[in-house]
Amino acid sequence: MSVFSFASFCNWVKFKHLVLLSSLGNTKNMHLTAQQMNLSQPAVSKMLKEIEALVGFEIFERHARSMPPTDLGKHLIHFANKMLNDSEGFVDQIISLRDGGYGYLKVGGIFAATSAALPEAILEIKQRYPLLNVEVVEQTSGNLIKMLEDRTLDLAIGRFSEQNQQPNFDYTPLAPENFCLVVNSTHPLSKKASISLEDLFDWPWLLYPEGTPIRTRMEESFHNAGVSLPKNTVVTISVQTFLELLQRGPMIGMLPTVMVDSHLKSGALSVLQTPLELIPQYYGILTRKGEDLVGATREFMDILQRNASDTKDLIQ
């Protein structure tokens, strides 16, 4: 068995080895991986055996029709994917800079961020660097953190969805996300000035899936009021489905205020005044811990922080 060390790893491993690990981890098939890498199957098999000889353990199980990764192999595949994603981003940056551009910035955000904080910051940084390529991804906080971990995002605006995420990422709070209970303008409850908790349970509810931050905040509100969650429910994480059902049927939904602001102004939706206390929840900038931000990413974070500070000053 070879002695596996940082020095041996750096001196021997090449990017083609990372590509093999990533491809085979995805396809779990030697033949398909050989096709994707434009190599013969014996060449791919030989390369895999060389990697396994270096690390000292089997990376993939050998079955007749599939090659699933071993438990240790999963760690190597995860590392290979992160390295390849990071390298792809680096190449995109260099090509853009070489061709007279300003690089590439890929950011992610929860809906509250993509509705307000992100657009303002994007407009400002595009004024500074018109040729900067900006890509925006809207996802849940959990998915954004996974993308940060896989190095497919430069930074994200969201919140921790699990306690065990905190040691791996830095978090800079930006602003509170306020919530409200809403119905469409034709709903019988929209005409009532004061609504009891009992009134709320007479109607169907729209809920986010368990484990999502907004669902957790809703559960806290009901728990603090001493009541259980409604039984007549529809569960969805689709923003479009949520809003369509709210506007077309006699549903009640708890949503971030920024998400329904335009619908409230147009009169399509109405806010219900209830005894439920809907506590705001902060969102902020998430970055990989211990990694210094540079270039446009650093400036973009500075813009987000300054805009958030200016908003707080206006409110105060």
Side-chain angles (χ1 to χ4, degrees), residues 4 92 118 155 160 191 217 242 260 264 277:
F4 183 51
D92 288 341
L118 273 177
L155 61 79
F160 291 117
K191 307 297 188 293
R217 189 49 51 103
F242 209 111
V260 294
L264 296 175
E277 183 181 7

Side-chain angles (χ1 to χ4, degrees), residues 53-291:
L54 173 70
V55 298
F57 56 82
E58 282 196 348
I59 302 171
F60 294 92
E61 298 175 14
R62 270 65 166 180
H63 299 309
R65 299 190 177 184
S66 179
M67 294 181 63
T70 63
D71 288 340
L72 284 174
K74 292 176 182 177
H75 290 280
L76 274 180
I77 295 167
H78 183 61
F79 168 79
N81 287 331
K82 287 200 296 184
M83 289 295 295
L84 291 172
N85 288 334
D86 204 25
S87 299
E88 184 179 7
F90 170 75
V91 170
D92 288 341
Q93 290 275 15
I94 292 300
I95 291 174
S96 177
L97 292 168
R98 183 199 63 190
D99 294 343
Y102 293 100
Y104 185 83
L105 175 66
K106 187 171 182 178
V107 299
I110 57 174
F111 189 90
T114 57
S115 297
L118 273 177
E120 292 176 4
I122 290 170
L123 289 173
E124 183 167 341
I125 202 163
K126 287 290 286 183
Q127 286 181 336
R128 297 184 190 181
Y129 307 112
L131 298 182
L132 175 68
N133 292 312
V134 181
E135 182 176 350
V136 179
V137 176
E138 182 179 298
Q139 278 289 349
T140 62
S141 290
N143 287 336
L144 291 174
I145 288 176
K146 179 64 167 59
M147 295 177 74
L148 271 179
E149 183 182 20
D150 290 341
R151 311 188 74 82
T152 57
L153 289 179
D154 295 309
L155 61 79
I157 305 180
R159 56 177 69 89
F160 291 117
S161 56
E162 298 176 16
Q163 288 291 327
N164 60 9
Q165 296 165 339
Q166 298 186 21
N168 300 319
F169 301 93
D170 290 322
Y171 172 78
T172 305
L174 283 179
E177 183 177 33
N178 296 302
F179 299 102
C180 58
L181 291 182
V182 291
V183 295
N184 66 47
S185 57
T186 63
H187 197 291
L189 291 183
S190 68
K191 307 297 188 293
K192 299 186 67 172
S194 179
I195 299 165
S196 68
L197 289 176
E198 289 74 19
D199 292 332
L200 297 176
F201 289 91
D202 292 335
W203 302 94
W205 277 72
L206 285 162
L207 303 179
Y208 271 73
E210 290 185 19
T212 55
I214 189 170
R215 173 65 176 265
T216 301
R217 189 49 51 103
M218 181 176 173
E219 290 170 353
E220 290 174 356
S221 298
F222 274 75
H223 175 76
N224 293 338
V227 293
S228 301
L229 286 179
K231 302 298 183 185
N232 184 359
T233 64
V234 174
V235 177
T236 179
I237 200 163
S238 166
V239 174
Q240 183 174 355
T241 300
F242 209 111
L243 291 172
E244 285 293 328
L245 287 173
L246 267 178
Q247 294 177 83
R248 296 187 185 193
M251 318 287 288
I252 302 175
M254 174 179 164
L255 287 171
T257 304
V258 67
M259 185 183 293
V260 294
D261 186 56
S262 62
H263 300 280
L264 296 175
K265 289 178 180 177
S266 69
L269 297 179
S270 301
V271 174
L272 300 182
Q273 303 301 323
T274 76
L276 283 176
E277 183 181 7
L278 307 181
I279 304 170
Q281 186 175 30
Y282 263 82
Y283 61 85
I285 303 169
L286 291 161
T287 56
R288 291 177 285 273
K289 188 173 287 293
E291 184 174 305

Side-chain angles (χ1 to χ4, degrees), residues 4-20:
F4 183 51
S5 66
F6 179 69
S8 65
F9 182 78
C10 291
N11 290 334
W12 188 85
V13 170
K14 300 177 182 178
F15 270 87
K16 64 181 181 180
H17 300 123
L18 302 179
V19 172
L20 185 152

